[in-house]
Amino acid sequence: MQALSLLTGENVQVELTSTPQWRRLLELGKPPTLRELFATDPDRARRYRFGCADLTVDLSKNWLTDDILRALVEVADASGLSDRRAAMFAGEHINSTEDRAVLHVALRLPRAGSLIVDGRDVVPDVHRVLDQMSAFAHAVRDGQHLGYTGRSIRTVVNIGIGGSDLGPAMAYEALRSFADGPECRFVSNVDGADIATALAGLNPESTLFVVCSKTFTTIETLTNATTARDWLVSGIGDERAVANHFVAVSTNAAAVGAFGIDPQNMFGFWDWVGGRYSVGSAIGLSLMLAVGPDRFSEFLAGFHTVDKDFLAVPTDQNVAVLLALLGIWYANVHGAQSKAVLPYSNDLRRLPAYLQQLDMESNGKSVGIDGKLLAHTTGPVVWGEPGTNGQHAFYQLLHQGSWLIPCEFIGFARPNRGPQHHQDLLMSNLFAQAEALAFGKTSDEVAAEGVPPHQLNHRVFPGNRPSTMILADELSPRILGELIALYEHVVFAQGAIWGVNSFDQWGVELGKALANRITPELVDGATVPAHDSSTNALIAWYRARRPS
Ligand code: G6Q
């Protein structure tokens, strides 16, 4: 990271850090501590509390003053963010390296809406697929779509990876309390243990496979889908059963047909939906099967409310932009290399993994849109675990470690399941953690507790560790949609300010190509072309042990 920031020369883009707005931000330096800021402004909590749709966002425990906020907003305004946002919502090809529009926001437009992309209104297409999904979901849930032997569908196995897995898997867990359809299981890893675990105990006669792959060329997904098809056909004893038990979600009808799934049983989407932005498309079919079309509509409505907010609210009140700016403030000015996302909701346990992909695959770039190397750092490492589990593991480092790690806490007033007193305990932990991170415990306070002098330093909590609190009444389909859309737009705004194309993923494409190259070389007797000496030795090690 450091090395990159020292880059100089013609091929280096320094647009962000050479602006007068950026210099003004740097001049402001580090603000007074959170203790001091709260002590001098009794109104701070109210002034830095913002609303975004049904979400309440408390920014008061961040390193913010009115001057810093103003300077950050000026950085955003000077960055061309609003033009890029308008271009995205207008369907322009802002994914320049793939020459594509970026229109996940179109997936949640109401039926009466309209959005012309490359001369075609995409809203009727979106609703045609949503209607197709709804009809299928109703048929499965009501027992009209039956398995080959006449049994109703009890389990849905979603097969996909990356953007074709993380969204529906995370959302299914998050909305478990609303699931009244078939049970869903998710298979992504090419490790055979994944599909073996998913299939354990299932009856092929009542199992439906949803094979999700935008390209329908992804080796992990096709391998798992082939294994699933073999399992089904051998379990039912008739090849024709595939028609009742397999559907596909893809943009590639030809490859779906070649795999043996009737394209009639395919739910489409479009190249302007990026994998990591696709949970609101047909990629969300498993979720819809589980919670039903009406709740899926509420989920999309939540996204849409936040989309409107992101588009219309002025920069200094725009929660997505403010969260993006805070991330830039901590990363580019104060050297933070990671951020923790800490949902105090067990049902959101997959959210950190989902956000890891959303953020790191979008903004983990070192080259600007103009093709020049960036002189500034970009996306942080995103990580986290649900509270309170994290507290008994890594919070030690958050409280007393040596890194600056801004935290984003998420909590709810009402539990989705379980008794309220559990929720009271959960939320008290949440509030206490944010308080302790911000205000710490001084040496005097520790001494006043009777701690002996030789332990004092060990038991001091420096505090002044920034955090954001995102709150809502309950984890409903609508609120989940709002949360995801908020994070999508934070990532978008950061990418726009950093000047990166947040919508390509050449690093992922590299991995796909490399694995395909080595696979045939692992088999005993195959020729191994010259790799480096380490890779050659690793291949030899594997071949010597591989059961033949
Ligand atoms: C997401 C990425 C990546 C992708 C997977 C699966 O934005 O592009 O995670 O979703 O590689 O790709 P397919 O859907 O094409 O199988």
Side-chain angles (χ1 to χ4, degrees):
M1 300 266 265
Q2 197 117 34
L4 290 182
S5 64
L6 296 175
L7 287 171
T8 54
E10 260 182 22
N11 196 26
V12 173
Q13 192 237 85
V14 287
E15 271 162 32
L16 175 66
T17 49
S18 62
T19 59
Q21 290 80 4
W22 190 262
R23 277 200 297 278
R24 239 188 329 272
L25 187 64
L26 289 187
E27 280 160 17
L28 290 173
K30 201 170 165 180
T33 64
L34 289 168
R35 267 192 189 237
E36 289 159 346
L37 289 170
F38 274 88
T40 52
D41 179 6
D43 205 21
R44 183 173 173 84
R46 188 195 58 78
R47 292 196 311 108
Y48 288 117
R49 189 173 64 215
F50 295 84
C52 173
D54 299 294
L55 309 173
T56 296
V57 181
D58 175 13
L59 299 184
S60 65
K61 294 197 188 78
N62 280 288
W63 293 356
L64 267 187
T65 61
D66 291 351
D67 285 345
I68 293 169
L69 189 59
R70 209 169 302 119
L72 285 169
V73 165
E74 282 172 13
V75 166
D77 288 343
S79 70
L81 164 62
S82 57
D83 287 349
R84 193 159 167 81
R85 179 177 52 196
M88 174 172 77
F89 277 84
E92 289 177 28
H93 286 211
I94 63 167
N95 176 355
S96 46
T97 59
E98 296 180 307
D99 192 19
R100 287 177 183 170
V102 173
L103 269 179
H104 41 281
V105 293
L107 298 172
R108 42 265 193 163
L109 280 172
R111 202 177 284 276
S114 158
L115 209 163
I116 310 292
V117 182
D118 303 330
R120 182 184 172 94
D121 189 351
V122 298
V123 175
D125 293 338
V126 165
H127 281 273
R128 182 181 42 75
V129 176
L130 282 171
D131 289 344
Q132 184 197 359
M133 291 164 65
S134 293
F136 182 67
H138 278 305
V140 170
R141 289 161 58 87
D142 299 348
Q144 290 147 21
H145 176 104
L146 298 172
Y148 186 64
T149 59
R151 289 195 184 228
S152 52
I153 300 298
R154 297 196 163 279
T155 314
V156 170
V157 178
N158 189 94
I159 301 179
I161 195 164
S164 298
D165 164 71
L166 282 162
M170 177 276 289
Y172 174 69
E173 292 298 333
L175 299 181
R176 232 169 218 288
S177 308
F178 298 86
D180 53 6
E183 180 206 350
C184 292
R185 300 185 182 186
F186 293 85
V187 176
S188 53
N189 204 314
V190 76
D191 180 341
D194 199 10
I195 190 149
T197 306
L199 296 181
L202 294 189
N203 180 350
E205 295 174 64
S206 55
T207 301
L208 174 74
F209 293 93
V210 178
V211 185
C212 290
S213 176
K214 181 172 167 178
T215 55
F216 230 78
T217 56
T218 305
I219 192 73
E220 289 92 333
T221 299
L222 294 184
T223 305
N224 279 322
T226 305
T227 302
R229 190 178 54 193
D230 293 348
W231 174 85
L232 181 98
V233 170
S234 76
I236 296 185
D238 192 334
E239 189 91 30
R240 288 171 297 180
V242 171
N244 296 57
H245 293 267
F246 271 79
V247 297
V249 179
S250 186
T251 58
N252 187 348
V256 167
F259 179 83
I261 299 177
D262 184 345
Q264 299 280 3
N265 292 334
M266 178 181 125
F267 300 82
F269 59 118
W270 306 272
D271 72 356
W272 41 260
V273 184
R276 55 197 174 274
Y277 297 89
S278 66
V279 62
S281 73
I283 291 290
L285 180 62
S286 303
L287 175 68
M288 188 193 270
L289 286 162
V291 301
D294 290 348
R295 292 190 180 112
F296 195 83
S297 297
E298 289 164 26
F299 178 56
L300 293 183
F303 279 92
H304 182 59
T305 317
V306 170
D307 294 342
K308 286 190 290 186
D309 190 292
F310 178 53
L311 196 53
V313 174
T315 316
D316 63 351
Q317 300 286 316
N318 192 310
V319 172
V321 180
L322 294 177
L323 289 174
L325 286 168
L326 279 168
I328 289 171
W329 172 232
Y330 294 128
N332 298 90
V333 179
H334 298 290
Q337 298 185 349
S338 81
K339 83 165 180 181
V341 180
L342 306 162
Y344 275 62
S345 159
N346 206 53
D347 289 346
L348 283 181
R349 63 186 168 277
R350 298 285 284 148
L351 184 70
Y354 175 81
L355 295 180
Q356 232 162 29
Q357 177 185 32
L358 181 67
D359 199 325
M360 294 166 72
E361 198 168 283
S362 297
N363 288 338
K365 316 272 164 75
S366 316
V367 173
I369 294 169
D370 57 6
K372 291 185 173 181
L373 294 175
L374 294 173
H376 51 269
T377 59
T378 56
V381 175
V382 178
W383 59 281
E385 274 287 311
T388 58
N389 299 13
Q391 287 174 213
H392 294 265
F394 54 77
Y395 275 42
Q396 165 61 37
L397 183 146
L398 296 180
H399 285 290
Q400 291 187 307
S402 52
W403 297 102
L404 167 63
I405 303 178
C407 297
E408 285 169 11
F409 292 108
I410 300 169
F412 301 94
R414 293 195 292 272
N416 279 359
R417 292 196 301 286
Q420 183 67 35
H421 76 271
H422 279 247
Q423 189 70 6
D424 297 342
L425 193 54
L426 181 68
M427 293 302 282
S428 71
N429 271 280
L430 166 57
F431 297 146
Q433 289 295 329
E435 185 179 27
L437 285 168
F439 304 111
K441 206 188 262 186
T442 64
S443 176
D444 287 349
E445 287 165 346
V446 178
E449 289 172 355
V451 171
H454 71 276
Q455 278 193 5
L456 272 188
N457 282 350
H458 295 282
R459 295 178 60 172
V460 164
F461 292 86
N464 205 34
R465 296 175 180 227
S467 70
T468 291
M469 183 75 66
I470 301 175
L471 298 173
D473 285 352
E474 62 171 351
L475 181 56
S476 63
R478 171 178 282 275
I479 298 288
L480 181 66
E482 292 181 10
L483 263 178
I484 300 172
L486 177 64
Y487 274 106
E488 286 176 349
H489 297 320
V490 171
V491 168
F492 174 86
Q494 288 187 328
I497 296 170
W498 280 321
V500 301
N501 176 5
S502 305
F503 303 103
D504 59 13
Q505 57 281 317
W506 299 106
V508 175
E509 315 298 344
L510 172 78
K512 292 186 181 182
L514 291 184
N516 289 344
R517 185 176 149 212
I518 291 185
T519 312
E521 300 166 8
L522 297 182
V523 185
D524 210 17
T527 346
V528 179
H531 295 272
D532 60 274
S533 60
S534 165
T535 309
N536 283 340
L538 295 171
I539 293 173
W541 178 93
Y542 182 79
R543 279 169 57 151
R545 287 161 180 79
R546 180 183 180 275
S548 41

